[in-house]
Amino acid sequence: MSGPRSSSRRRRFRMGAVLLATVLFTVLALRLMLPSGTTGSSSGSSSGGTTLTGGTAHDVVTLTIASPKTGTTAVEVRLTPREGIGTTGAATVVTVSAVLPTAGHAVPDHTAVRTANDRYQVASLPLMMTGRWEFLVDIDIDIDGQGRDDHLVFPLTLTR
């Protein structure tokens, strides 16, 4: 007589497992849709922008996307030299581009304009659709003839 009861238990167990998997998948999908940075922290600014923080062995790099939605947006890169490593005044070139790998879209490199001490800005970076973008930041620094080339990737999901 354990046959029908055992079958009923298995069916309830399977239903519970499917329900649990559905809930976990939904939570994971919602988490992936929220803006985040994998190399550091992410926060929204009071003006609606998003700030992502990462770094290299030499600098803490802060990327601020003024309008994290489809269309064009200004992007600012701030370099903060790590303790004991001075780069202020060095010949620095910062370029920013963006890639949406899932759709095959890419924004060509934009050379950022130095706006203040260790701050660089791209006035208009086009983002043509929603999805998980990767903002690519290249930092080329020449200190006394010694070149250094750092590359960072800041992922950010655009939902609108």
Side-chain angles (χ1 to χ4, degrees), residues 32-74:
L32 289 175
M33 292 174 68
L34 296 174
S36 67
T38 60
T39 58
S41 63
S42 170
S43 65
S45 71
S46 60
S47 64
T50 297
T51 300
L52 305 167
T53 303
T56 68
H58 304 95
D59 299 291
V60 174
V61 180
T62 305
L63 177 72
T64 302
I65 297 114
S67 180
K69 59 185 180 183
T70 57
T72 58
T73 184

Side-chain angles (χ1 to χ4, degrees), residues 58-59 79-82 85-92 114 116-120 141-144 148:
H58 304 95
D59 299 291
L79 306 178
T80 305
R82 295 197 186 270
I85 303 174
T87 57
T88 302
T92 304
R114 188 176 190 144
N117 197 24
D118 295 325
R119 290 180 187 258
Y120 301 83
I141 299 176
D142 184 17
I143 303 172
D144 299 328
R148 187 175 80 225

